[in-house]
Amino acid sequence: MRELALSAQTQAIFDRIKSYAWTLNVYGLSSSRAEWLVKARTRARIHKAGVVPPYTNVYRRYVSELTRVFRSETGERLIQAIRLVIRKWVNLGLDPELLQGLLGDCFLRFEQQGYAMPKVKKLGKPEKPPRRRRTSYEDALKRGRATLSAGSTVKEQASRQEQGAALASAIARALKSVLVERGITGRGVIPYFNFAQQLGRLSRKFGGKSLQMAAADVIDYHEAKSLDGDTLRAIAITLFGVDVSS
């Protein structure tokens, strides 16, 4: 796994997150509200750094993903999620210093909103939600419960979804033998399945050296999520013929 160089400012943010037993008020906030809070500061920093269109939108997407983890994680899980977001966008070619500067803008703005007092949980047996009737993807498109892509018909999009599901099943079957050899079973299979699906999508878009470079970045990202690097590389070469040397 590649070393992720973090600035003193970023380390200080992590230390501050660890030191508070309470949760930032941004946790659970809507995406529009959270992104509005940091919009002015982050856009000013991006502009000051000399980033020009269309690359400004790339950094804004990073900020959007960063606000999402602040809204959905706390404590150590939040720190790990932030590390992964930074690693992902560094691998995509963004400036590490600017990425961490934007992290500082977001954290300081969210901290200004304060920390939430822990809520007292009510005792009692939770009610079971009513069972929902399963709906096919095609029916979901017809009823507007799934988004129909521009220029596509319901039948065309449903057919593509069916083909994608068949490819996912084929990858799962091929993956099983690789993982069984390494003693990986049960719930431990899930993150490797997600990795294989992501690499499968890349293999349908890229080839040759481009695919090898993209695969290396994906492997690095999943290694940072505590997956075994040798197993990831074995999946890459066995299922997709991509040789990514360590």
Side-chain angles (χ1 to χ4, degrees):
M1 183 173 63
R2 302 168 192 162
E3 183 180 355
L4 181 63
L6 299 176
S7 67
Q9 181 193 39
T10 298
Q11 293 290 358
I13 289 172
F14 291 164
D15 291 341
R16 198 159 179 81
I17 291 172
K18 290 177 185 177
S19 67
Y20 276 86
W22 296 346
T23 303
L24 284 165
N25 273 328
V26 71
Y27 180 73
L29 207 63
S30 69
S31 59
S32 57
R33 174 65 178 169
E35 290 182 26
W36 178 82
L37 287 172
V38 300
K39 181 178 179 180
R41 291 188 182 187
T42 55
R43 291 198 174 185
R45 183 179 290 272
I46 292 169
H47 178 73
K48 187 176 180 181
V51 180
V52 296
Y55 302 106
T56 51
N57 289 331
V58 181
Y59 282 95
R60 288 172 187 171
R61 286 174 59 193
Y62 160 76
V63 171
S64 178
E65 187 169 351
L66 202 57
T67 59
R68 179 177 59 79
V69 300
F70 272 104
R71 293 187 299 106
S72 58
E73 303 290 356
T74 61
E76 288 289 350
R77 289 176 63 89
L78 173 59
I79 293 170
Q80 179 63 11
I82 292 171
R83 287 180 183 273
L84 289 172
V85 172
I86 295 173
R87 179 180 291 275
K88 170 186 172 180
W89 290 93
V90 167
N91 284 343
L92 290 172
L94 273 64
D95 176 23
E97 184 177 350
L98 179 53
L99 293 178
Q100 293 179 75
L102 292 167
L103 166 63
D105 290 335
C106 291
F107 177 75
L108 290 175
R109 187 69 181 93
F110 292 149
E111 196 173 42
Q112 286 177 346
Q113 297 299 302
Y115 291 81
M117 292 288 290
K119 294 181 179 179
V120 177
K121 294 183 179 179
K122 293 183 179 180
L123 298 177
K125 189 175 180 181
E127 295 182 2
K128 291 184 178 180
R131 296 185 66 180
R132 293 186 178 182
R133 187 179 177 183
R134 292 192 66 179
T135 305
S136 70
Y137 184 68
E138 186 171 351
D139 287 339
L141 288 170
K142 289 177 180 178
R143 297 177 185 181
R145 294 179 181 177
T147 304
L148 183 64
S149 301
S152 180
T153 66
V154 169
K155 285 192 176 295
E156 288 171 345
Q157 188 162 322
S159 177
R160 288 197 297 270
Q161 191 273 342
E162 187 176 347
Q163 292 172 6
L167 284 171
S169 296
I171 289 174
R173 288 193 296 271
L175 177 66
K176 185 177 180 180
S177 61
V178 177
L179 297 182
V180 167
E181 289 178 2
R182 288 163 172 76
I184 301 172
T185 58
R187 295 187 62 84
V189 170
I190 296 173
Y192 290 98
F193 174 77
N194 294 337
F195 162 77
Q197 294 298 327
Q198 186 176 359
L199 197 53
R201 289 191 293 271
L202 290 173
S203 69
R204 294 192 288 276
K205 291 182 180 180
F206 304 106
K209 189 66 176 177
S210 297
L211 176 57
Q212 191 176 33
M213 292 172 63
D217 286 342
V218 175
I219 288 172
D220 177 69
Y221 178 75
H222 283 273
E223 272 192 288
K225 296 178 78 171
S226 301
L227 298 191
D228 178 62
D230 290 338
T231 302
L232 296 174
R233 283 181 277 274
I235 293 170
I237 194 167
T238 304
L239 273 66
F240 306 103
V242 182
D243 185 6
V244 182
S245 301
S246 57

